[in-house]
Amino acid sequence: MSRLVLVTGSSGFVGGHAVAAAHVAGDVRLRLLVRKPPPETGTQVGSVRGNRTGSVPGDRTGSGAGDRTGSVRRERRERRDRIDYVQGDLTDPASLRGVCDGVDAVVHCASQVGGDPRLLCEVNDLGTRALVEEARRAGVERFVYLSTAAVLGRGPFHGVRPAAAPVAPVSDTSRTRAAAERHVLAAGGIVLRPHLVYGVGDRWVIPGVLMLLRELGAGPHGWGGRQSVVDAGTLGRALMAAALAPAAPAARVRFVNHPEPVPGSLLMSAVADLYGLLPASVPGIGAEAARARVRDNPTARHHLELLAADHWFTDDRLWTDLGCDPGAGFAQRLSRYADWYRSRRPVPDHSRPFAALSASAASSGS
């Protein structure tokens, strides 16, 4: 019997990849919590109505060579039939009533990053608490929350295991996400903490490194800590695996990163190569000179301090426990996303997964 999974944040960076992973997983039905459903669904407030009454975006005869085949149309119809939308807003707990009815698992990817501290609290802290309470009322078996290693603070972190470092957030965003973790763990849920996430849809990690390189005009010389990284496609599969595994992992707080940390110097040189920057003849720059050069650029300064120190988290049994393969390392995977990063294409509209995610899922496969 297929399992019904509620996904929040499906229109966002990682949430969309979790939706793609569900399509690949097979016998999974999806319910997407959205503030405003796609116009084809006709979803009403408080209802759980599928997309069966609407057209399939992008599935118009003659719109492209691939769409002329019956197999592509059948695949999209099958995806459409496995997706329901339910309207709700984490800032309005009353709107969440009923969204978890009949659900087997929740994959909670929605979060607010930066901005108004009150909104951060409403979405990340109070919104997660309300969703957890609704899931508990509905008897949901599994609740998986996408958090961040930033709840542990600035570091440095040298091969830190999940239970080895205290929660010590330093920003409003990480403080409210740490509060969300507490609600999830108190209800017996699972927390996954990635560090740096890259891949299709990334607007922060690789673009931030690129900004830093352009500000410095050089690569690092004698500095660059090891960084835990994971691509968004692999992270999406890990989230869905945690939701669908026959038994919940024994440890409920997990670091979800590729097993091999990436030296900051390698990360920067890979990005430089990706964009054709900094030929070998350009000498590197030392840490103190680099800090002086980015003193007036807060974003570049943030990325410099991040990459200058170790942020290396380890969780030896994670991938075995989830039954997932972390796949190739950073350098090989980044090359797969080179065209996307260089093209500056828009982030795929993951709120329309049966039309938009096929290419995204393919590009993020192992």
Side-chain angles (χ1 to χ4, degrees):
M1 182 177 178
S2 63
R3 294 171 62 79
L4 178 60
V5 180
L6 173 73
V7 179
T8 73
S10 64
S11 63
F13 175 29
V14 177
H17 286 281
V19 170
H23 290 318
V24 175
D27 197 18
V28 179
R29 292 177 296 122
L30 290 173
R31 179 178 297 171
L32 307 185
L33 178 66
V34 293
R35 283 180 294 178
K36 183 178 180 181
E40 292 83 1
T41 66
T43 303
Q44 302 297 320
V45 175
S47 69
V48 183
R49 293 175 53 187
N51 199 53
R52 297 172 181 82
T53 59
S55 62
V56 182
D59 190 22
R60 294 179 175 86
T61 303
S63 62
D67 284 349
R68 296 190 185 101
T69 67
S71 62
V72 170
R73 288 195 295 270
R74 282 194 299 273
E75 178 185 0
R76 288 180 173 171
R77 281 196 298 269
E78 289 168 1
R79 288 185 176 188
R80 174 193 65 190
D81 291 340
R82 298 207 314 267
I83 296 177
D84 289 331
Y85 292 86
V86 60
Q87 191 168 352
D89 192 326
L90 291 171
T91 66
D92 179 10
S95 72
L96 302 178
R97 184 72 177 181
V99 301
C100 292
D101 289 352
V103 167
D104 297 293
V106 172
V107 175
H108 181 28
C109 300
S111 62
Q112 178 72 21
V113 178
D116 180 9
R118 182 176 357 180
L119 182 60
L120 287 167
C121 180
E122 289 178 351
V123 174
N124 298 341
D125 181 353
L126 303 181
T128 297
R129 184 178 69 182
L131 185 63
V132 166
E133 290 174 350
E134 178 58 24
R136 179 183 281 169
R137 184 201 64 79
V140 174
E141 299 172 5
R142 190 80 51 84
F143 195 109
V144 181
Y145 174 56
L146 174 62
S147 186
T148 169
V151 299
L152 302 181
R154 291 197 176 97
F157 301 102
H158 312 278
V160 171
R161 299 180 184 278
V167 173
V170 295
S171 69
D172 290 331
T173 296
S174 54
R175 274 189 288 272
T176 54
R177 295 185 79 176
E181 286 192 1
R182 291 193 294 272
H183 300 314
V184 172
L185 294 172
I190 299 164
V191 170
L192 298 187
R193 292 175 181 162
H195 177 44
L196 299 182
V197 185
Y198 66 100
V200 174
D202 169 30
R203 293 297 192 226
W204 189 80
V205 174
I206 302 304
V209 175
L210 175 62
M211 173 193 290
L212 175 60
L213 286 166
R214 286 175 169 162
E215 285 287 309
L216 295 177
H221 175 69
W223 57 273
R226 289 168 292 183
Q227 306 297 318
S228 285
V229 302
V230 65
D231 75 283
T234 301
L235 179 55
R237 291 196 299 276
L239 285 159
M240 201 53 60
L244 299 173
R252 292 189 293 118
V253 178
R254 312 300 298 261
F255 290 131
V256 53
N257 299 290
H258 194 276
E260 300 173 3
V262 179
S265 56
L266 173 59
L267 196 157
M268 293 180 71
S269 65
V271 174
D273 290 345
L274 178 68
Y275 289 97
L277 303 176
L278 308 182
S281 59
V282 176
I285 185 172
E288 291 309 312
R291 289 187 175 96
R293 197 165 292 183
V294 301
R295 182 176 52 237
D296 298 326
N297 186 326
T299 303
R301 190 170 68 244
H302 175 86
H303 277 76
L304 171 63
E305 297 303 336
L306 178 71
L307 297 180
D310 275 358
H311 292 84
W312 171 29
F313 308 93
T314 184
D315 195 337
D316 297 336
R317 292 193 51 83
L318 170 76
W319 300 104
T320 301
D321 289 349
L322 294 182
C324 282
D325 181 359
F330 170 75
Q332 183 176 343
R333 279 203 180 274
L334 181 64
S335 66
R336 300 181 187 182
Y337 305 128
D339 289 344
W340 184 85
Y341 276 115
R342 286 192 293 248
S343 71
R344 298 182 179 270
R345 291 196 301 269
V347 177
D349 182 0
H350 295 312
S351 67
R352 301 182 177 203
F354 31 81
L357 279 179
S358 55
S360 174
S363 69
S364 58
S366 60

